[in-house]
Amino acid sequence: MFKHETAFSRNIGWVTPDEQTRLRQARIAIAGLGGVGGAHLVTLSRLGIAHFNISDFDRFELQNFNRQAGAMMSSIGRPKVDVLNRMALDINPESDIRTFPDGINPDNVAAFLDGVDIYVDSIDFFALDARRLLFAECYKRGIPAVTAAPLGMGVGFLYFAPNGMSFEDYFRFEGHPRQEQLARFIAGLAPKVLQRTYLAVPESVNFGEQRGPSTAMACDLCAGVTGTEVLKILLGRGKVRAAPWGMQFDAYRQKLSFTWRPLGNANPIQQLMLMLIRAQLKR
């Protein structure tokens, strides 16, 4: 028989019993259940969080096997939102999970974020319109929002605090064509570009075809970093650096880097980075 206190008792020590109760009562929204989203849901469920809003319109395919938590022979062709919902309920059958199987759009974004304590961004790298919509709505509602990008064999992490710099003010997408928006997203996620030096097959990155390489290690690192920061935000303890601060950790290079970019992509250092990225995207 399932008993919440027993299932998550090994968290006690790093959190107090009262803090574990607070985690149990929190509601987290996760948009996107592919590379990092599934790992986020599993990690946060094991942390004892029991309320989620989850969204994804895609189905599992064979090419997802190298990195996605729910990708297995038994899940090929099945909706990601159904598979991950079942996985989370297998961890905690008392969880309250609201599913949004059609993705996020202007018609359902308000319902998706209703009653949410933190938004965890996990949608596809190239889905900029949906991402901008979600972060704008979070900022409007005063909802903390985090994004963790799987970069090579590492993670790039950003936190957007309710009263801090907004997602739009950091990345500065407004008024720019899609290709430039992609360049700005890359520059903002990884100002130090720690992963660049060990890319073994450069032609595997093709922005025109909206594809790039990935690793399970990066996705797992994203889930670990995000789970830790979500815990700190929910419990109000520990230092959390909000944008324009950013963090990148690369396990392959064994390097940790913090960046501070006042004005976001309008910062002179970022402008130089954007020049290099634009040149790469033109190839």
Side-chain angles (χ1 to χ4, degrees):
M1 180 179 294
F2 180 84
K3 185 176 180 181
H4 189 280
E5 290 75 12
T6 303
F8 305 106
S9 61
R10 292 300 179 92
N11 291 337
I12 305 303
W14 299 115
V15 299
T16 69
D18 286 345
E19 287 175 330
Q20 185 68 77
T21 298
R22 286 159 61 188
L23 291 173
R24 181 181 185 179
Q25 295 169 345
R27 179 169 292 277
I28 309 298
I30 304 173
L33 297 170
V36 293
H40 287 324
L41 181 59
V42 170
T43 297
L44 294 172
S45 292
R46 295 196 187 282
L47 187 58
I49 293 171
H51 302 81
F52 296 95
N53 293 356
I54 59 174
S55 171
D56 201 301
F57 57 79
D58 203 4
R59 294 173 180 265
F60 281 111
E61 303 175 34
L62 192 59
Q63 57 263 39
N64 302 147
F65 275 40
N66 78 310
R67 69 200 183 282
Q68 298 191 14
M72 297 164 279
M73 290 302 297
S74 60
S75 65
I76 290 180
R78 293 179 59 195
K80 293 181 180 180
V81 73
D82 291 349
V83 172
L84 269 301
N85 181 41
R86 184 68 262 165
M87 288 176 67
L89 289 172
D90 277 348
I91 294 169
N92 181 358
E94 297 177 352
S95 290
D96 174 19
I97 305 176
R98 303 170 188 167
T99 61
F100 293 75
D102 299 319
I104 301 302
N105 56 63
D107 294 329
N108 68 5
V109 67
F112 180 68
L113 294 174
D114 186 40
V116 165
D117 294 292
I118 298 180
Y119 167 60
V120 175
D121 176 49
S122 314
I123 59 179
D124 185 85
F125 175 86
F126 295 96
L128 292 181
D129 290 344
R131 180 172 277 110
R132 292 177 68 188
L133 171 67
L134 279 158
F135 275 95
E137 189 69 18
C138 285
Y139 197 73
K140 174 183 174 183
R141 291 168 171 256
I143 297 172
V146 300
T147 188
L151 303 168
M153 300 177 204
V155 51
F157 180 83
L158 290 166
Y159 164 49
F160 293 92
N163 298 317
M165 187 179 219
S166 72
F167 181 86
E168 193 67 37
D169 285 343
Y170 180 81
F171 286 102
R172 297 182 179 262
F173 294 130
E174 190 63 35
H176 295 287
R178 178 174 173 76
Q179 191 80 343
E180 174 65 12
Q181 289 184 21
L182 288 172
R184 288 169 175 264
F185 194 42
I186 297 167
L189 283 174
K192 289 291 187 179
V193 204
L194 297 180
Q195 76 282 4
R196 180 178 56 186
T197 59
Y198 59 89
L199 179 63
V201 185
E203 58 269 27
S204 65
V205 180
N206 190 313
F207 285 91
E209 297 178 5
Q210 297 193 9
R211 62 176 173 82
S214 57
T215 67
M217 298 85 78
C219 294
D220 289 342
L221 284 167
C222 285
V225 168
T226 297
T228 303
E229 298 304 302
V230 165
L231 178 151
K232 289 160 69 178
I233 294 166
L234 287 174
L235 300 182
R237 64 178 176 92
K239 184 176 183 179
V240 184
R241 293 180 171 96
W245 281 99
M247 184 274 283
Q248 186 178 3
F249 170 70
D250 192 279
Y252 185 92
R253 296 185 62 190
Q254 298 184 334
K255 285 191 174 183
L256 173 65
S257 174
F258 289 96
T259 54
W260 185 58
R261 296 291 186 265
L263 304 178
N265 275 331
N267 186 284
I269 298 175
Q270 291 299 99
Q271 289 294 303
L272 291 173
M273 176 66 69
L274 279 166
M275 290 175 62
L276 295 173
I277 293 173
R278 290 180 190 121
Q280 292 290 323
L281 293 181
K282 288 178 181 179
R283 293 182 179 181

